[in-house]
Amino acid sequence: MKRWISFLGHLVIIVVLTSFGKNITNQNVEVVMLPESARVVENTHLAFPKAQESTETYDTNTIFLKNGFQGFKEAIAFKESQGQYGVVNTLGYLGKYQFGANTLKLLGVHDTKKFLNDPVLQENVFELNVSRNKWILRRDIKRFVGKRINGTIISESGIVAAAHLAGAGNVKKYLRSYGKTDFSDAYGSTIAYYVKKFNGYDISMIKSVHNPKI
């Protein structure tokens, strides 16, 4: 970057007379008038290092992915299993999204070993479960989205995430009691926590489906 610098009148430089390596305290000073020939006059160019232009590029879809369904499910996956497909927790919940065997059966999956070893199946099951919970909670979504419970603005994504944690029935109780009836899993996660943590994602691309199956 280049800057134009001009000084009007005489420039006074205060030169501190001191030795190198010593503290600058209580030293004598001398006022020195800058010679005419040494002044910086208009149109003198001072060169500064040019700021390096960034060559980094950004995917224009990044924000949409982050706040959309893709971001939603990856956020849940990280909370549940740190995104690992082959995980089985101490309570027997399975996979990237930590499904229970009973929920898998409701969605048409009966072979848990195959489920653990099939990432595509796990992703499909998660989407089906979102569709299922949207259907079960469709009236509550319509009624409560936009309202405030326990200091959190209720969103569709928060409701669906809480249903993934606690089941749609418990989420209904939480919403209809305005937060007085909560649920906590064996690791201490609550509906109120999930409603807040997963608030504000756009998951409208997933439609509600009654009794979906693989």
Side-chain angles (χ1 to χ4, degrees):
M1 179 186 296
K2 295 182 178 180
R3 297 180 182 177
W4 296 96
I5 301 176
S6 64
F7 293 89
L8 298 177
H10 295 286
L11 178 66
V12 178
I13 299 178
I14 299 177
V15 179
V16 179
L17 301 179
T18 184
S19 299
F20 288 102
K22 294 183 179 179
N23 293 331
I24 305 176
T25 55
N26 300 321
Q27 303 293 332
N28 295 325
V29 298
E30 179 183 350
V31 178
V32 179
M33 301 301 298
L34 190 68
E36 183 73 24
S37 60
R39 295 180 194 163
V40 179
V41 296
E42 192 171 0
N43 295 331
T44 299
H45 292 196
L46 298 182
F48 293 87
K50 187 176 182 180
Q52 185 175 359
E53 296 182 2
S54 174
T55 57
E56 186 174 0
T57 58
Y58 296 91
D59 184 345
T60 55
N61 291 321
T62 297
I63 289 179
F64 301 103
L65 290 174
K66 181 178 179 181
N67 297 321
F69 182 69
Q70 185 69 28
F72 171 73
K73 70 176 185 175
E74 292 304 325
I76 288 183
F78 186 81
K79 176 65 175 68
E80 296 290 336
S81 69
Q82 294 191 329
Q84 301 178 61
Y85 288 103
V87 171
V88 180
N89 76 2
T90 57
L91 300 175
Y93 287 84
L94 307 159
K96 182 178 177 180
Y97 302 101
Q98 293 291 279
F99 280 103
N102 289 334
T103 300
L104 291 177
K105 289 178 182 178
L106 288 174
L107 297 168
V109 177
H110 300 277
D111 188 338
T112 56
K113 184 176 180 180
K114 178 183 177 182
F115 176 77
L116 276 175
N117 290 287
D118 191 339
V120 174
L121 179 59
Q122 290 191 34
E123 298 295 339
N124 289 340
V125 165
F126 180 80
E127 292 189 19
L128 288 181
N129 197 50
V130 170
S131 296
R132 173 176 168 270
N133 283 327
K134 274 194 171 189
W135 173 265
I136 297 171
L137 292 161
R138 62 195 184 281
R139 293 187 179 90
D140 296 274
I141 290 170
K142 184 176 181 179
R143 176 182 173 187
F144 288 100
V145 166
K147 293 185 177 180
R148 188 183 295 273
I149 296 178
N150 289 335
T152 299
I153 299 296
I154 302 301
S155 67
E156 182 182 55
S157 61
I159 291 175
V160 171
H164 183 81
L165 170 75
N170 285 319
V171 174
K172 284 184 178 183
K173 293 176 184 178
Y174 175 84
L175 294 172
R176 295 176 188 185
S177 69
Y178 282 85
K180 293 180 180 179
T181 302
D182 205 342
F183 166 92
S184 177
D185 72 1
Y187 302 105
S189 295
T190 64
I191 289 174
Y193 173 75
Y194 266 55
V195 165
K196 182 177 181 178
K197 181 174 180 62
F198 300 104
N199 182 37
Y201 291 90
D202 180 4
I203 60 172
S204 58
M205 65 171 289
I206 306 298
K207 306 303 179 184
S208 64
V209 178
H210 179 242
N211 197 29
K213 290 185 183 296
I214 290 293

